[in-house]
Amino acid sequence: MTSTYFVTAHRWERGWELHIADAAGQEVGVTQCRTLGGAEAMVRDYLALDDRDGDAPLEIRPVFDPAVQEQVTASRARIRAAQLEQEAAAKESRAAVARLDELGLSGTEIAQVLQLSKQRVSDLRKASR
């Protein structure tokens, strides 16, 4: 059975200190890397050298002081909300393009009505078929 490992990454002057825990919360070990981008490879190497599953799922969690963490959390929430809104807008745009297309409007006319580029209308037409 493959277990997920949870890595808590703490910033320090020379990079990141990586505390590795198993799914039960038991600490497996600690390693470090210079950049957060290198954390996954470093943890996988550590796990493999420790005779553990180096291919197991990992969840890397950078930890910051509360004010920074609050800002990161708020930013992620807004980004996700914007993604959901964009998906809803695209769905509505596809429906509007299909409806206007049924009415016999040309791509140029649809673009003008919806205030979109002709290329975007073309893309929406393809996506709605």
Side-chain angles (χ1 to χ4, degrees), residues 62-78:
V63 175
F64 302 100
D65 68 66
V68 173
Q69 192 64 48
E70 184 178 321
Q71 193 170 24
V72 167
T73 300
S75 175
R76 286 181 182 163
R78 285 206 180 238

Side-chain angles (χ1 to χ4, degrees), residues 38-99:
E40 182 177 345
M42 189 60 71
V43 170
R44 291 196 184 287
D45 286 349
Y46 183 95
L47 292 170
L49 288 172
D50 198 37
D51 292 327
R52 295 178 184 265
D53 184 2
D55 295 323
L58 296 179
E59 186 176 314
I60 299 173
R61 303 171 178 160
V63 175
F64 302 100
D65 68 66
V68 173
Q69 192 64 48
E70 184 178 321
Q71 193 170 24
V72 167
T73 300
S75 175
R76 286 181 182 163
R78 285 206 180 238
I79 288 168
R80 183 64 186 138
Q83 288 169 335
L84 293 172
E85 187 61 32
Q86 187 174 21
E87 290 168 10
K91 182 178 179 181
E92 188 66 35
S93 294
R94 284 190 300 275
V97 165
R99 194 65 180 271

Side-chain angles (χ1 to χ4, degrees), residues 81-99 110 114 116 120-129:
Q83 288 169 335
L84 293 172
E85 187 61 32
Q86 187 174 21
E87 290 168 10
K91 182 178 179 181
E92 188 66 35
S93 294
R94 284 190 300 275
V97 165
R99 194 65 180 271
I110 294 171
L114 295 178
L116 297 172
R120 182 66 182 137
V121 169
S122 176
D123 292 343
L124 291 167
R125 275 178 157 166
K126 289 176 189 171
S128 65
R129 291 182 182 151

